[in-house]
Amino acid sequence: MIVRTFQASAAAGVLAALLLPAGAMAQQVDIGAPAPPPTAPEAPAANDTKKPATGAPAAAPTPARYRPNHLAHPRDTSPGSQIGDTQSAAPPGLFGDWRNSRTWLGARGVDVSARYASETAYNPTGGRRQAITETGQFDMGAKVDMGKLVGLEGGTLQATLTWRRGDNLSDVAGLGTLQQVQEVYGRGQTVRVTELWYEQKLGDAVEVKLGRTNPGSDFAVFSCHFQNLTFCGAQPGNLVGDYWQNWPVGQWGARLHVDVRRGVYVQAGVYEVNPLNLRNNFFVARWHGATGVLIPFEAGWTHGGDGGHVGSYKVGGWYTTANGTDVYLDVNRRPIVVTGLAPLEHSGRYGGYVSVQQQITGTSKDGKSLDGLGVFANFTQTDRATAVTDNQAVVGMFYKGLATWLPGDVLGVAFGRTNVNGRAADADRLTPGKPVRDAEYAAELYYSVTPLPWLELQPNVQWIHHPGGVRSADEVVVLGLKGAITL
C-alpha cells in the first residue's frame, strides 16, 4: 500500500509541479570536462554518456535572483547534465541551428538537443577470444525554462529519450570482468524515456525535484568521461544496480535540496525500487511491480569560481526498504551452496559513499576548471549481507592544456579496485572447482580532443588485473575509442 501510494504521489507530483512557481537548479562539479575555446560561449563536453547533450543558447537575461550562484553551485560541465545550467550556450552541432529552430526555441526557454555517443573496444590480450565491438547511445532531449516560457521564474522541466544499441566486448570476448569495459552498454538495448521531471526553487535556498529520474543523477554524482564503468557515474549503481538504477533507467522519484550556507548543502530523496524498470518491453514507466523505496541522503561542499581551485566534497549514504537475499546463508542460516535451499531474506539494505574532486593547478571560470591539474577520489561501501560486490575505491586525475594547440584536450588517468564480498568468497570455497574471487583492479589512460565544436574523440587503453576478481584469470588489455557527435 505504501509503495502504491508513493507511485501515485510521484506521478501526480509531476503534473502538479507544472503549475508551481519556478526556480533555479543546484549544480555539481566536473573537473574533467574539456574547456571551451577562448572565444566561444561556454559549452558542455560531449563524451559523458550518462547525461544528454544540451541545446540552444538562452536568448534573454534571467532576473538576478534566479541566476545560478556558481560559488554556491559550481557548474556541472558534463554535457547537458540533468542538473545542468539552462543559461549556458550549447556547442554548435553538426547541423548547426537546425534552420534557426534552436534559436527560436531557445528564445522561448526551450533548450533542445540531440547527440550520438559511441564506444569501440578491442582486446589484444585476455578473455576467451579476441574481438572488436562497438556500442552507442543516441539521446535527444528538451529542457524548458519555465520563466522564459510562461513567466514562472526559476523552474525547469526536463524530458529525455535514449536509445542504446550495439554489442559489449565484456560479453562477446568473454572477458569475465566485474565492470564493463564499455560503460555506455547495458540496461537494455532499447528506446526508453529516461527523464521526465520538474525542478522547482522555493525561495533562495530550497529546491524540489519530482518526476521520472534516477538517484545517480542527484546523489553521488560523477562524470562518465572514462570508458571503463569502474570510473563512470554514481558508484552505488555500479555495485547494487538491482535497486540503485543509474542512467539510462528512469525511476519515479523526488529530491529535496537545501543550501545551508555559501557552498554547503544537504539533500535527501526517495525513489521507487522496481525490478520491472530493467525490462525492455515498455516505453515511459511501469505503474506496478514496485518492491520498495530507496532513500539516499547527502551533504556536500563546493567551492571555487573565477579564481581557480574548483572543488567538490560529498559524503552520503542510503537505505532501501526493498528486501534482499543473503549472499551466503539460506533460510536456516546455513551455506546456500551446501543445502541448496532458498536464501535468507533481509528486510532492507544500506550503504555509504565519499566523493572528492579538487583542481590543484590552473585557472577556472564560472566554477569550471579551464586548464591545469585536477584530482578525484571516490569510495563506496555497501552492506555485506546482500551485495556480492561490496565496495569500490577509485582515484585519478585530469590534466587540461597538455598541448595548447589542440582544442579541448584532456588527459585522464584512473585506478580502481572493485571488491568481491568476503562472504561470497566463502561460498566459492565451498563449491568444488570454482575459483575463489577476491578483487578486480582496473586502470585507464585516455586523451581527449575536440577537433570540431561538434565532435569529440578520445582514444584510450584499459588494463584489468584479476578480471572477475579471479586471481588465476589472464590479465585483460583493451584498446578503445570513445567519441561523440552533437547533432
Side-chain angles (χ1 to χ4, degrees), residues 49 55 69 77 98 144-145 161 254 282 285 300 349 377 387 401 450 455 475 486:
T49 53
N69 180 346
T77 52
W98 301 356
V144 181
D145 182 335
L161 182 71
F282 75 100
R349 289 175 276 180
T450 309
L455 174 66
E475 296 188 357
T486 301

Side-chain angles (χ1 to χ4, degrees), residues 170 175-181 228-231 389 391-394 415-420 437-443 462-471 473 476:
S170 294
L175 302 184
T177 56
L178 296 175
Q179 302 292 304
Q180 294 174 179
V181 298
N228 191 292
L229 184 61
T230 307
F231 317 114
T389 50
N391 67 67
Q392 188 174 70
V394 164
F415 303 89
R417 178 183 187 272
T418 303
N419 188 65
V420 175
R437 292 167 293 173
D438 182 16
E440 174 178 286
Y441 299 84
Q462 304 174 43
W463 169 73
I464 299 95
H465 182 57
H466 297 166
V470 179
R471 296 189 177 187
V476 173

Side-chain angles (χ1 to χ4, degrees), residues 306-354:
D306 296 335
H309 303 279
V310 176
S312 169
Y313 298 80
K314 307 173 190 175
V315 58
W318 71 88
Y319 178 80
T320 178
T321 63
N323 290 348
T325 57
D326 198 280
V327 299
Y328 182 64
L329 298 178
D330 68 11
V331 290
N332 297 320
R333 297 185 179 274
R334 298 185 60 199
I336 299 170
V337 295
V338 174
T339 67
L341 298 178
L344 178 67
E345 287 279 335
H346 294 270
S347 57
R349 289 175 276 180
Y350 56 89
Y353 59 87
V354 176

Side-chain angles (χ1 to χ4, degrees), residues 118-130:
S118 170
E119 295 178 358
T120 301
Y122 166 70
N123 61 315
T125 63
R128 291 194 300 269
R129 67 185 184 94
Q130 276 63 61

Side-chain angles (χ1 to χ4, degrees), residues 231-258:
F231 317 114
C232 169
Q235 270 194 343
N238 296 344
L239 301 177
V240 288
D242 58 326
Y243 63 88
W244 181 304
Q245 297 163 357
N246 282 346
W247 181 278
V249 177
Q251 300 167 254
W252 292 118
R255 184 207 63 185
L256 174 66
H257 177 106
V258 179

Side-chain angles (χ1 to χ4, degrees), residues 271-452:
Y271 301 83
E272 173 202 42
V273 176
N274 191 336
L276 298 182
N277 287 335
L278 303 180
R279 296 186 181 180
N280 291 347
N281 59 342
F282 75 100
F283 182 60
V284 178
R286 295 284 189 179
W287 299 99
H288 61 88
T291 58
V293 294
L294 171 68
I295 306 170
F297 47 89
E298 179 178 290
W301 172 50
T302 59
H303 68 93
D306 296 335
H309 303 279
V310 176
S312 169
Y313 298 80
K314 307 173 190 175
V315 58
W318 71 88
Y319 178 80
T320 178
T321 63
N323 290 348
T325 57
D326 198 280
V327 299
Y328 182 64
L329 298 178
D330 68 11
V331 290
N332 297 320
R333 297 185 179 274
R334 298 185 60 199
I336 299 170
V337 295
V338 174
T339 67
L341 298 178
L344 178 67
E345 287 279 335
H346 294 270
S347 57
R349 289 175 276 180
Y350 56 89
Y353 59 87
V354 176
S355 179
V356 174
Q357 298 184 68
Q358 180 62 58
Q359 182 185 8
I360 304 299
T361 66
T363 60
S364 67
K365 182 178 181 181
D366 292 334
K368 174 181 178 180
S369 64
L370 299 179
D371 52 45
L373 174 67
V375 297
F376 65 88
N378 297 317
F379 176 76
T380 298
Q381 177 69 54
T382 69
D383 71 277
R384 300 186 71 249
T386 63
V388 174
T389 50
D390 64 346
N391 67 67
Q392 188 174 70
V394 164
V395 295
M397 55 154 281
F398 299 107
Y399 191 90
K400 303 179 185 180
L402 188 65
T404 56
W405 50 276
L406 283 175
D409 79 313
V410 182
L411 175 70
V413 182
F415 303 89
R417 178 183 187 272
T418 303
N419 188 65
V420 175
N421 191 338
R423 300 178 71 248
D426 289 341
D428 294 340
R429 294 185 180 92
L430 297 175
T431 307
K434 185 174 183 178
V436 178
R437 292 167 293 173
D438 182 16
E440 174 178 286
Y441 299 84
E444 181 174 340
L445 170 69
Y446 78 75
Y447 188 67
S448 176
V449 294
T450 309
L452 297 168

